[in-house]
mmCIF file of all heavy atoms in Angstrom:
data_model
loop_
_atom_site.group_PDB
_atom_site.id
_atom_site.type_symbol
_atom_site.label_atom_id
_atom_site.label_comp_id
_atom_site.label_asym_id
_atom_site.label_seq_id
_atom_site.Cartn_x
_atom_site.Cartn_y
_atom_site.Cartn_z
ATOM 1 N N GLN A 1182 0.840 -1.195 0.000
ATOM 2 C CA GLN A 1182 0.000 0.000 0.000
ATOM 3 C C GLN A 1182 0.879 1.251 0.000
ATOM 4 O O GLN A 1182 1.944 1.275 0.633
ATOM 5 C CB GLN A 1182 -0.885 0.015 1.251
ATOM 6 C CG GLN A 1182 -1.954 -1.039 1.272
ATOM 7 C CD GLN A 1182 -3.265 -0.539 0.670
ATOM 8 O OE1 GLN A 1182 -3.337 0.534 0.093
ATOM 9 N NE2 GLN A 1182 -4.312 -1.339 0.801
ATOM 10 N N PRO A 1183 0.469 2.318 -0.694
ATOM 11 C CA PRO A 1183 1.325 3.509 -0.787
ATOM 12 C C PRO A 1183 1.635 4.172 0.543
ATOM 13 O O PRO A 1183 2.672 4.812 0.680
ATOM 14 C CB PRO A 1183 0.537 4.440 -1.720
ATOM 15 C CG PRO A 1183 -0.852 3.906 -1.765
ATOM 16 C CD PRO A 1183 -0.739 2.438 -1.530
ATOM 17 N N TYR A 1184 0.754 4.038 1.550
ATOM 18 C CA TYR A 1184 1.048 4.677 2.832
ATOM 19 C C TYR A 1184 2.269 4.052 3.508
ATOM 20 O O TYR A 1184 2.853 4.632 4.428
ATOM 21 C CB TYR A 1184 -0.162 4.623 3.768
ATOM 22 C CG TYR A 1184 -0.485 3.262 4.338
ATOM 23 C CD1 TYR A 1184 0.174 2.787 5.480
ATOM 24 C CD2 TYR A 1184 -1.457 2.461 3.759
ATOM 25 C CE1 TYR A 1184 -0.132 1.543 6.007
ATOM 26 C CE2 TYR A 1184 -1.765 1.218 4.289
ATOM 27 C CZ TYR A 1184 -1.100 0.763 5.406
ATOM 28 O OH TYR A 1184 -1.400 -0.472 5.929
ATOM 29 N N LYS A 1185 2.691 2.867 3.070
ATOM 30 C CA LYS A 1185 3.873 2.228 3.632
ATOM 31 C C LYS A 1185 5.169 2.698 2.976
ATOM 32 O O LYS A 1185 6.258 2.393 3.467
ATOM 33 C CB LYS A 1185 3.777 0.710 3.485
ATOM 34 C CG LYS A 1185 2.687 0.042 4.310
ATOM 35 C CD LYS A 1185 2.781 -1.460 4.180
ATOM 36 C CE LYS A 1185 1.782 -2.179 5.056
ATOM 37 N NZ LYS A 1185 1.945 -3.657 4.989
ATOM 38 N N VAL A 1186 5.063 3.391 1.849
ATOM 39 C CA VAL A 1186 6.251 3.776 1.079
ATOM 40 C C VAL A 1186 6.763 5.114 1.595
ATOM 41 O O VAL A 1186 6.154 6.156 1.369
ATOM 42 C CB VAL A 1186 5.925 3.868 -0.424
ATOM 43 C CG1 VAL A 1186 7.171 4.281 -1.211
ATOM 44 C CG2 VAL A 1186 5.378 2.540 -0.937
ATOM 45 N N ASP A 1187 7.891 5.098 2.295
ATOM 46 C CA ASP A 1187 8.468 6.350 2.780
ATOM 47 C C ASP A 1187 9.448 6.901 1.752
ATOM 48 O O ASP A 1187 9.898 6.195 0.836
ATOM 49 C CB ASP A 1187 9.164 6.130 4.119
ATOM 50 C CG ASP A 1187 10.367 5.220 4.012
ATOM 51 O OD1 ASP A 1187 10.174 3.989 3.843
ATOM 52 O OD2 ASP A 1187 11.494 5.712 4.082
ATOM 53 N N ALA A 1188 9.772 8.176 1.892
ATOM 54 C CA ALA A 1188 10.594 8.866 0.897
ATOM 55 C C ALA A 1188 11.974 8.244 0.752
ATOM 56 O O ALA A 1188 12.509 8.133 -0.363
ATOM 57 C CB ALA A 1188 10.715 10.345 1.273
ATOM 58 N N GLU A 1189 12.563 7.819 1.852
ATOM 59 C CA GLU A 1189 13.910 7.247 1.796
ATOM 60 C C GLU A 1189 13.937 5.940 1.013
ATOM 61 O O GLU A 1189 14.828 5.698 0.193
ATOM 62 C CB GLU A 1189 14.433 7.021 3.211
ATOM 63 C CG GLU A 1189 15.878 6.561 3.269
ATOM 64 C CD GLU A 1189 16.395 6.442 4.692
ATOM 65 O OE1 GLU A 1189 15.689 6.889 5.624
ATOM 66 O OE2 GLU A 1189 17.510 5.906 4.875
ATOM 67 N N ALA A 1190 12.940 5.087 1.248
ATOM 68 C CA ALA A 1190 12.880 3.824 0.519
ATOM 69 C C ALA A 1190 12.653 4.065 -0.962
ATOM 70 O O ALA A 1190 13.312 3.458 -1.814
ATOM 71 C CB ALA A 1190 11.765 2.946 1.091
ATOM 72 N N LEU A 1191 11.718 4.961 -1.290
ATOM 73 C CA LEU A 1191 11.443 5.241 -2.695
ATOM 74 C C LEU A 1191 12.670 5.806 -3.397
ATOM 75 O O LEU A 1191 12.963 5.463 -4.546
ATOM 76 C CB LEU A 1191 10.267 6.213 -2.821
ATOM 77 C CG LEU A 1191 9.839 6.545 -4.254
ATOM 78 C CD1 LEU A 1191 9.404 5.286 -5.001
ATOM 79 C CD2 LEU A 1191 8.722 7.570 -4.256
ATOM 80 N N ALA A 1192 13.413 6.664 -2.712
ATOM 81 C CA ALA A 1192 14.624 7.224 -3.297
ATOM 82 C C ALA A 1192 15.644 6.126 -3.598
ATOM 83 O O ALA A 1192 16.299 6.130 -4.649
ATOM 84 C CB ALA A 1192 15.233 8.264 -2.365
ATOM 85 N N ALA A 1193 15.784 5.171 -2.675
ATOM 86 C CA ALA A 1193 16.722 4.069 -2.894
ATOM 87 C C ALA A 1193 16.290 3.204 -4.067
ATOM 88 O O ALA A 1193 17.112 2.804 -4.901
ATOM 89 C CB ALA A 1193 16.840 3.227 -1.625
ATOM 90 N N TRP A 1194 14.985 2.907 -4.153
ATOM 91 C CA TRP A 1194 14.498 2.093 -5.260
ATOM 92 C C TRP A 1194 14.689 2.803 -6.595
ATOM 93 O O TRP A 1194 15.119 2.194 -7.580
ATOM 94 C CB TRP A 1194 13.021 1.777 -5.080
ATOM 95 C CG TRP A 1194 12.676 1.056 -3.821
ATOM 96 C CD1 TRP A 1194 13.514 0.314 -3.028
ATOM 97 C CD2 TRP A 1194 11.397 1.019 -3.185
ATOM 98 N NE1 TRP A 1194 12.830 -0.176 -1.938
ATOM 99 C CE2 TRP A 1194 11.544 0.227 -2.013
ATOM 100 C CE3 TRP A 1194 10.157 1.566 -3.484
ATOM 101 C CZ2 TRP A 1194 10.478 -0.022 -1.157
ATOM 102 C CZ3 TRP A 1194 9.092 1.316 -2.628
ATOM 103 C CH2 TRP A 1194 9.252 0.534 -1.481
ATOM 104 N N ALA A 1195 14.353 4.082 -6.644
ATOM 105 C CA ALA A 1195 14.473 4.838 -7.883
ATOM 106 C C ALA A 1195 15.932 4.940 -8.318
ATOM 107 O O ALA A 1195 16.246 4.824 -9.510
ATOM 108 C CB ALA A 1195 13.869 6.229 -7.723
ATOM 109 N N ALA A 1196 16.830 5.159 -7.356
ATOM 110 C CA ALA A 1196 18.251 5.236 -7.692
ATOM 111 C C ALA A 1196 18.753 3.900 -8.229
ATOM 112 O O ALA A 1196 19.520 3.854 -9.204
ATOM 113 C CB ALA A 1196 19.055 5.658 -6.466
ATOM 114 N N ALA A 1197 18.326 2.802 -7.615
ATOM 115 C CA ALA A 1197 18.728 1.481 -8.091
ATOM 116 C C ALA A 1197 18.205 1.226 -9.496
ATOM 117 O O ALA A 1197 18.925 0.707 -10.362
ATOM 118 C CB ALA A 1197 18.224 0.408 -7.130
ATOM 119 N N ALA A 1198 16.946 1.603 -9.730
ATOM 120 C CA ALA A 1198 16.377 1.415 -11.070
ATOM 121 C C ALA A 1198 17.097 2.266 -12.100
ATOM 122 O O ALA A 1198 17.377 1.810 -13.217
ATOM 123 C CB ALA A 1198 14.888 1.758 -11.046
ATOM 124 N N ALA A 1199 17.418 3.506 -11.728
ATOM 125 C CA ALA A 1199 18.101 4.396 -12.666
ATOM 126 C C ALA A 1199 19.502 3.893 -12.990
ATOM 127 O O ALA A 1199 19.933 3.916 -14.150
ATOM 128 C CB ALA A 1199 18.169 5.807 -12.083
ATOM 129 N N ASN A 1200 20.208 3.410 -11.983
ATOM 130 C CA ASN A 1200 21.588 2.982 -12.189
ATOM 131 C C ASN A 1200 21.695 1.646 -12.913
ATOM 132 O O ASN A 1200 22.710 1.370 -13.560
ATOM 133 C CB ASN A 1200 22.319 2.890 -10.846
ATOM 134 C CG ASN A 1200 22.514 4.250 -10.201
ATOM 135 O OD1 ASN A 1200 22.579 5.261 -10.888
ATOM 136 N ND2 ASN A 1200 22.587 4.279 -8.876
ATOM 137 N N ALA A 1201 20.681 0.815 -12.800
ATOM 138 C CA ALA A 1201 20.736 -0.527 -13.379
ATOM 139 C C ALA A 1201 19.783 -0.705 -14.553
ATOM 140 O O ALA A 1201 19.622 -1.829 -15.041
ATOM 141 C CB ALA A 1201 20.427 -1.563 -12.304
ATOM 142 N N ASN A 1202 19.165 0.386 -15.014
ATOM 143 C CA ASN A 1202 18.179 0.306 -16.100
ATOM 144 C C ASN A 1202 17.062 -0.686 -15.785
ATOM 145 O O ASN A 1202 16.525 -1.338 -16.686
ATOM 146 C CB ASN A 1202 18.850 -0.070 -17.423
ATOM 147 C CG ASN A 1202 19.671 1.069 -17.982
ATOM 148 O OD1 ASN A 1202 19.294 2.235 -17.854
ATOM 149 N ND2 ASN A 1202 20.813 0.760 -18.573
ATOM 150 N N ALA A 1203 16.753 -0.819 -14.524
ATOM 151 C CA ALA A 1203 15.682 -1.723 -14.118
ATOM 152 C C ALA A 1203 14.335 -1.022 -14.230
ATOM 153 O O ALA A 1203 14.248 0.198 -14.378
ATOM 154 C CB ALA A 1203 15.912 -2.194 -12.687
ATOM 155 N N THR A 1204 13.284 -1.814 -14.161
ATOM 156 C CA THR A 1204 11.919 -1.290 -14.177
ATOM 157 C C THR A 1204 11.306 -1.457 -12.797
ATOM 158 O O THR A 1204 11.440 -2.513 -12.167
ATOM 159 C CB THR A 1204 11.063 -2.040 -15.221
ATOM 160 O OG1 THR A 1204 11.555 -1.745 -16.530
ATOM 161 C CG2 THR A 1204 9.606 -1.626 -15.132
ATOM 162 N N LEU A 1205 10.648 -0.404 -12.317
ATOM 163 C CA LEU A 1205 9.894 -0.459 -11.066
ATOM 164 C C LEU A 1205 8.423 -0.689 -11.395
ATOM 165 O O LEU A 1205 7.799 0.126 -12.085
ATOM 166 C CB LEU A 1205 10.053 0.846 -10.284
ATOM 167 C CG LEU A 1205 11.265 1.008 -9.375
ATOM 168 C CD1 LEU A 1205 11.269 2.409 -8.770
ATOM 169 C CD2 LEU A 1205 11.269 -0.035 -8.281
ATOM 170 N N TRP A 1206 7.874 -1.779 -10.900
ATOM 171 C CA TRP A 1206 6.469 -2.127 -11.133
ATOM 172 C C TRP A 1206 5.715 -1.919 -9.824
ATOM 173 O O TRP A 1206 5.996 -2.564 -8.831
ATOM 174 C CB TRP A 1206 6.380 -3.565 -11.613
ATOM 175 C CG TRP A 1206 5.004 -4.142 -11.679
ATOM 176 C CD1 TRP A 1206 3.816 -3.469 -11.748
ATOM 177 C CD2 TRP A 1206 4.675 -5.539 -11.674
ATOM 178 N NE1 TRP A 1206 2.766 -4.348 -11.793
ATOM 179 C CE2 TRP A 1206 3.259 -5.627 -11.757
ATOM 180 C CE3 TRP A 1206 5.429 -6.707 -11.627
ATOM 181 C CZ2 TRP A 1206 2.599 -6.851 -11.766
ATOM 182 C CZ3 TRP A 1206 4.770 -7.927 -11.638
ATOM 183 C CH2 TRP A 1206 3.365 -7.997 -11.714
ATOM 184 N N VAL A 1207 4.753 -0.996 -9.844
ATOM 185 C CA VAL A 1207 4.009 -0.616 -8.645
ATOM 186 C C VAL A 1207 2.528 -0.925 -8.860
ATOM 187 O O VAL A 1207 1.956 -0.566 -9.898
ATOM 188 C CB VAL A 1207 4.188 0.890 -8.339
ATOM 189 C CG1 VAL A 1207 3.457 1.267 -7.057
ATOM 190 C CG2 VAL A 1207 5.672 1.247 -8.248
ATOM 191 N N LEU A 1208 1.914 -1.572 -7.882
ATOM 192 C CA LEU A 1208 0.468 -1.772 -7.950
ATOM 193 C C LEU A 1208 -0.239 -0.471 -7.583
ATOM 194 O O LEU A 1208 0.102 0.181 -6.597
ATOM 195 C CB LEU A 1208 0.026 -2.889 -7.009
ATOM 196 C CG LEU A 1208 0.322 -4.326 -7.434
ATOM 197 C CD1 LEU A 1208 -0.318 -5.292 -6.453
ATOM 198 C CD2 LEU A 1208 -0.154 -4.614 -8.849
ATOM 199 N N ARG A 1209 -1.241 -0.116 -8.382
ATOM 200 C CA ARG A 1209 -1.995 1.122 -8.167
ATOM 201 C C ARG A 1209 -3.140 0.839 -7.195
ATOM 202 O O ARG A 1209 -4.240 0.463 -7.591
ATOM 203 C CB ARG A 1209 -2.517 1.665 -9.498
ATOM 204 C CG ARG A 1209 -3.199 3.033 -9.372
ATOM 205 C CD ARG A 1209 -3.804 3.483 -10.690
ATOM 206 N NE ARG A 1209 -2.802 3.803 -11.691
ATOM 207 C CZ ARG A 1209 -2.593 3.085 -12.810
ATOM 208 N NH1 ARG A 1209 -3.316 1.996 -13.042
ATOM 209 N NH2 ARG A 1209 -1.668 3.442 -13.674
ATOM 210 N N HIS A 1210 -2.879 1.050 -5.904
ATOM 211 C CA HIS A 1210 -3.914 0.826 -4.899
ATOM 212 C C HIS A 1210 -4.958 1.935 -4.916
ATOM 213 O O HIS A 1210 -6.111 1.715 -4.562
ATOM 214 C CB HIS A 1210 -3.282 0.732 -3.514
ATOM 215 C CG HIS A 1210 -2.496 -0.529 -3.306
ATOM 216 N ND1 HIS A 1210 -3.064 -1.685 -2.821
ATOM 217 C CD2 HIS A 1210 -1.191 -0.820 -3.523
ATOM 218 C CE1 HIS A 1210 -2.149 -2.627 -2.732
ATOM 219 N NE2 HIS A 1210 -1.005 -2.130 -3.155
ATOM 220 N N ASN A 1211 -4.545 3.146 -5.308
ATOM 221 C CA ASN A 1211 -5.502 4.239 -5.487
ATOM 222 C C ASN A 1211 -4.922 5.234 -6.483
ATOM 223 O O ASN A 1211 -3.697 5.365 -6.626
ATOM 224 C CB ASN A 1211 -5.840 4.909 -4.155
ATOM 225 C CG ASN A 1211 -4.628 5.518 -3.490
ATOM 226 O OD1 ASN A 1211 -4.117 6.545 -3.939
ATOM 227 N ND2 ASN A 1211 -4.155 4.899 -2.416
ATOM 228 N N ALA A 1212 -5.797 5.928 -7.180
ATOM 229 C CA ALA A 1212 -5.366 6.822 -8.250
ATOM 230 C C ALA A 1212 -4.574 8.015 -7.730
ATOM 231 O O ALA A 1212 -3.695 8.541 -8.416
ATOM 232 C CB ALA A 1212 -6.585 7.305 -9.040
ATOM 233 N N ALA A 1213 -4.860 8.447 -6.508
ATOM 234 C CA ALA A 1213 -4.221 9.654 -5.978
ATOM 235 C C ALA A 1213 -2.751 9.455 -5.657
ATOM 236 O O ALA A 1213 -2.004 10.427 -5.541
ATOM 237 C CB ALA A 1213 -4.953 10.118 -4.729
ATOM 238 N N SER A 1214 -2.302 8.221 -5.510
ATOM 239 C CA SER A 1214 -0.923 7.983 -5.073
ATOM 240 C C SER A 1214 0.088 8.042 -6.214
ATOM 241 O O SER A 1214 1.282 8.234 -5.974
ATOM 242 C CB SER A 1214 -0.824 6.621 -4.390
ATOM 243 O OG SER A 1214 -1.119 5.579 -5.299
ATOM 244 N N GLU A 1215 -0.364 7.885 -7.459
ATOM 245 C CA GLU A 1215 0.595 7.754 -8.559
ATOM 246 C C GLU A 1215 1.391 9.033 -8.785
ATOM 247 O O GLU A 1215 2.627 8.994 -8.928
ATOM 248 C CB GLU A 1215 -0.114 7.340 -9.848
ATOM 249 C CG GLU A 1215 0.854 7.175 -11.012
ATOM 250 C CD GLU A 1215 0.198 6.568 -12.248
ATOM 251 O OE1 GLU A 1215 -0.937 6.049 -12.134
ATOM 252 O OE2 GLU A 1215 0.832 6.615 -13.309
ATOM 253 N N ARG A 1216 0.731 10.179 -8.793
ATOM 254 C CA ARG A 1216 1.442 11.424 -9.105
ATOM 255 C C ARG A 1216 2.539 11.734 -8.089
ATOM 256 O O ARG A 1216 3.681 12.007 -8.493
ATOM 257 C CB ARG A 1216 0.458 12.591 -9.201
ATOM 258 C CG ARG A 1216 1.145 13.923 -9.513
ATOM 259 C CD ARG A 1216 0.138 15.038 -9.685
ATOM 260 N NE ARG A 1216 -0.662 14.858 -10.895
ATOM 261 C CZ ARG A 1216 -1.605 15.708 -11.290
ATOM 262 N NH1 ARG A 1216 -1.861 16.798 -10.562
ATOM 263 N NH2 ARG A 1216 -2.287 15.482 -12.384
ATOM 264 N N PRO A 1217 2.275 11.711 -6.772
ATOM 265 C CA PRO A 1217 3.370 12.004 -5.836
ATOM 266 C C PRO A 1217 4.488 10.970 -5.868
ATOM 267 O O PRO A 1217 5.659 11.314 -5.683
ATOM 268 C CB PRO A 1217 2.683 12.031 -4.466
ATOM 269 C CG PRO A 1217 1.381 11.342 -4.664
ATOM 270 C CD PRO A 1217 0.985 11.576 -6.072
ATOM 271 N N LEU A 1218 4.161 9.700 -6.128
ATOM 272 C CA LEU A 1218 5.214 8.694 -6.217
ATOM 273 C C LEU A 1218 6.078 8.921 -7.450
ATOM 274 O O LEU A 1218 7.309 8.775 -7.399
ATOM 275 C CB LEU A 1218 4.600 7.294 -6.240
ATOM 276 C CG LEU A 1218 4.011 6.793 -4.923
ATOM 277 C CD1 LEU A 1218 3.339 5.442 -5.103
ATOM 278 C CD2 LEU A 1218 5.080 6.705 -3.846
ATOM 279 N N ARG A 1219 5.467 9.305 -8.561
ATOM 280 C CA ARG A 1219 6.251 9.621 -9.767
ATOM 281 C C ARG A 1219 7.155 10.834 -9.527
ATOM 282 O O ARG A 1219 8.316 10.855 -9.947
ATOM 283 C CB ARG A 1219 5.329 9.880 -10.952
ATOM 284 C CG ARG A 1219 4.762 8.630 -11.583
ATOM 285 C CD ARG A 1219 4.165 8.905 -12.950
ATOM 286 N NE ARG A 1219 3.666 7.688 -13.557
ATOM 287 C CZ ARG A 1219 4.424 6.814 -14.209
ATOM 288 N NH1 ARG A 1219 5.723 7.045 -14.337
ATOM 289 N NH2 ARG A 1219 3.904 5.723 -14.730
ATOM 290 N N ALA A 1220 6.626 11.844 -8.867
ATOM 291 C CA ALA A 1220 7.418 13.044 -8.604
ATOM 292 C C ALA A 1220 8.598 12.718 -7.693
ATOM 293 O O ALA A 1220 9.725 13.186 -7.928
ATOM 294 C CB ALA A 1220 6.535 14.118 -7.976
ATOM 295 N N ALA A 1221 8.370 11.915 -6.669
ATOM 296 C CA ALA A 1221 9.461 11.544 -5.769
ATOM 297 C C ALA A 1221 10.503 10.695 -6.482
ATOM 298 O O ALA A 1221 11.710 10.860 -6.260
ATOM 299 C CB ALA A 1221 8.897 10.789 -4.567
ATOM 300 N N ALA A 1222 10.055 9.799 -7.364
ATOM 301 C CA ALA A 1222 10.995 8.978 -8.124
ATOM 302 C C ALA A 1222 11.832 9.835 -9.065
ATOM 303 O O ALA A 1222 13.027 9.585 -9.254
ATOM 304 C CB ALA A 1222 10.241 7.913 -8.905
ATOM 305 N N ALA A 1223 11.227 10.862 -9.648
ATOM 306 C CA ALA A 1223 11.976 11.762 -10.522
ATOM 307 C C ALA A 1223 13.047 12.510 -9.740
ATOM 308 O O ALA A 1223 14.184 12.668 -10.208
ATOM 309 C CB ALA A 1223 11.028 12.747 -11.203
ATOM 310 N N ARG A 1224 12.706 12.952 -8.545
ATOM 311 C CA ARG A 1224 13.704 13.645 -7.714
ATOM 312 C C ARG A 1224 14.850 12.720 -7.333
ATOM 313 O O ARG A 1224 15.980 13.169 -7.114
ATOM 314 C CB ARG A 1224 13.038 14.192 -6.449
ATOM 315 C CG ARG A 1224 12.075 15.355 -6.702
ATOM 316 C CD ARG A 1224 11.690 16.040 -5.398
ATOM 317 N NE ARG A 1224 10.951 15.176 -4.500
ATOM 318 C CZ ARG A 1224 9.620 15.046 -4.505
ATOM 319 N NH1 ARG A 1224 8.890 15.731 -5.373
ATOM 320 N NH2 ARG A 1224 9.018 14.244 -3.641
ATOM 321 N N ALA A 1225 14.564 11.421 -7.269
ATOM 322 C CA ALA A 1225 15.587 10.455 -6.864
ATOM 323 C C ALA A 1225 16.404 9.924 -8.033
ATOM 324 O O ALA A 1225 17.318 9.134 -7.818
ATOM 325 C CB ALA A 1225 14.933 9.290 -6.126
ATOM 326 N N GLY A 1226 16.090 10.341 -9.263
ATOM 327 C CA GLY A 1226 16.926 9.921 -10.385
ATOM 328 C C GLY A 1226 16.202 9.400 -11.602
ATOM 329 O O GLY A 1226 16.807 9.286 -12.668
ATOM 330 N N LEU A 1227 14.911 9.047 -11.474
ATOM 331 C CA LEU A 1227 14.167 8.574 -12.645
ATOM 332 C C LEU A 1227 13.582 9.779 -13.377
ATOM 333 O O LEU A 1227 12.390 10.066 -13.309
ATOM 334 C CB LEU A 1227 13.068 7.601 -12.231
ATOM 335 C CG LEU A 1227 13.499 6.180 -11.897
ATOM 336 C CD1 LEU A 1227 12.305 5.330 -11.501
ATOM 337 C CD2 LEU A 1227 14.232 5.528 -13.063
ATOM 338 N N ARG A 1228 14.442 10.484 -14.101
ATOM 339 C CA ARG A 1228 14.039 11.710 -14.787
ATOM 340 C C ARG A 1228 13.951 11.469 -16.281
ATOM 341 O O ARG A 1228 14.688 10.669 -16.838
ATOM 342 C CB ARG A 1228 15.039 12.837 -14.506
ATOM 343 C CG ARG A 1228 15.219 13.169 -13.033
ATOM 344 C CD ARG A 1228 16.173 14.332 -12.842
ATOM 345 N NE ARG A 1228 16.421 14.586 -11.417
ATOM 346 C CZ ARG A 1228 17.401 14.027 -10.738
ATOM 347 N NH1 ARG A 1228 18.237 13.189 -11.340
ATOM 348 N NH2 ARG A 1228 17.569 14.291 -9.456
#
């Protein structure tokens, strides 16, 4: 669930995906969570 995803964990995942050309697959538990998670991932390196 998105409420369990803290900024530090998301930053680590995004950095790992960016550095290794990996794909992050996220289940959409609610529509409102996608935009802030995308923005946080972009700040962490998925730009």
Side-chain angles (χ1 to χ4, degrees):
Q1182 291 269 9
Y1184 72 84
K1185 293 185 176 184
V1186 180
D1187 65 287
E1189 186 176 351
L1191 182 60
W1194 301 339
N1200 292 333
N1202 288 324
T1204 293
L1205 275 176
W1206 170 21
V1207 182
L1208 285 186
R1209 186 185 291 112
H1210 289 271
N1211 61 73
S1214 64
E1215 181 172 347
R1216 180 177 292 181
L1218 288 176
R1219 282 195 178 278
R1224 291 192 296 271
L1227 282 180
R1228 302 183 184 91

